[in-house]
Amino acid sequence: MTTISIHAAVIHDLQKKQHTQGDDSVVLVERQSLHESNALLDKFAEKVDYDSRNASRVTSTCGSFTRENTLSKVIASHYMSNGNQNIEADAFLELSKEMVRALKKQMQDEMMATGGYIPVLWYKRDNKDYLVIGLVNPSSGFTLDPTGAIIPNTNIDNASLRFSVSIELAVFNQHLNEDSVVQDGNLDEDNDTTNLISNYVRWTRKKGFVAQYFQSFVPTAIPLNDGATTKEIIKYIGKYLDHIIPETYEGRKKLRYSTEQQIYGLMSQKCRSEDTVNVEEDILPIFEALKVSNPELFPQDQDVITFGEYCENEGYTDYNSIFNPKQSTVDKKLKVDIQVGESISIKGTKRDIDKATSLVVESQQVNDKHYKLMIKLTEEEYENIKRNNIGIKVENKVIQDE
């Protein structure tokens, strides 16, 4: 059985109304003492730890240790001022305040953000130290008294933990050390072990969503469900194809479309498996295959601008991203073409096809299977089809409960 030992914990409070922005939009209520260890706090820590290990397959590393108003810089600065990479219990309260002040700065720039309780936990599980910071709805049955203590009748199991981030401190420290060496310019490229760092940032998320400002607060190297990056990558993919495919080529539109759809299909597969898209490893090979398979357009002796060079020229610097594509954004772009028989064709975006259709396998006996494509219709659509297609076959079926 997993045992959790809490080193220190405190729950601060960020108060913000939606549709507000700016320095005065967020009120920070800092607690002046750590929480005393009790059963409620233990229960809450166990819940957060469990959720952080089970709620999401998506993990990451920190993207920077020097960016202002970030969790990673607060911790790195704390280490530097102490002269070692340790967190001390008597310094944890002040450290937690610095973290929440940085989070406040990130939150105040987000118009739609709303405040809540900010638990900051430092604990040990399986001989590993973890730091967790999150945001809890204040109206979820999770309540505090004016001093910040958890009220005894709080139902923590039903607390609405909107999102949190869990950081395995030992690996964070290792990454910080290697990042510092790289910045100092003392690392031999042949001995670069940064890519051996395992992901140590793990999300807890509600309904698959972690606010962008909270991801920027870490900051995460691999954005989670990143709609902004998805849109930008899609935009520059289209612009790049328009740039390299000659305008005089008769099949230009078709070639551009097929290449885009191949990329969107890859992104869609990544969405379903909750995997990241690595632009260099996943998308650039598709551009290279396009050039190789069309030698009449891209002769081998002709220099064709790369995707990276094109993006640099356009002022877009995040072209070499690793990101989690946003499903709804990709599905609006990915086209589906279903062919049935010799003359029936159903076309549309994946988003609309998924909403309206489903493949069904009917099997009453082991060797008696029937395959059907079911399309859901509104009453208006049903009546329009009947009215505009005189003589179409109509079956009335009554489905009885078994």
Side-chain angles (χ1 to χ4, degrees), residues 147-169:
T147 69
I150 303 173
I151 293 177
N153 61 3
T154 294
N155 187 352
I156 295 181
D157 279 342
N158 293 329
S160 181
L161 182 63
R162 246 184 279 171
F163 35 74
S164 70
V165 63
S166 170
I167 292 180
E168 185 180 342
L169 287 171

Side-chain angles (χ1 to χ4, degrees), residues 243-244 246 291 294-305:
H243 182 79
I244 65 171
K291 297 172 186 177
N294 294 272
E296 72 281 8
L297 299 178
F298 308 103
Q300 290 187 352
D301 59 351
Q302 175 184 323
D303 290 332
V304 179
I305 189 171

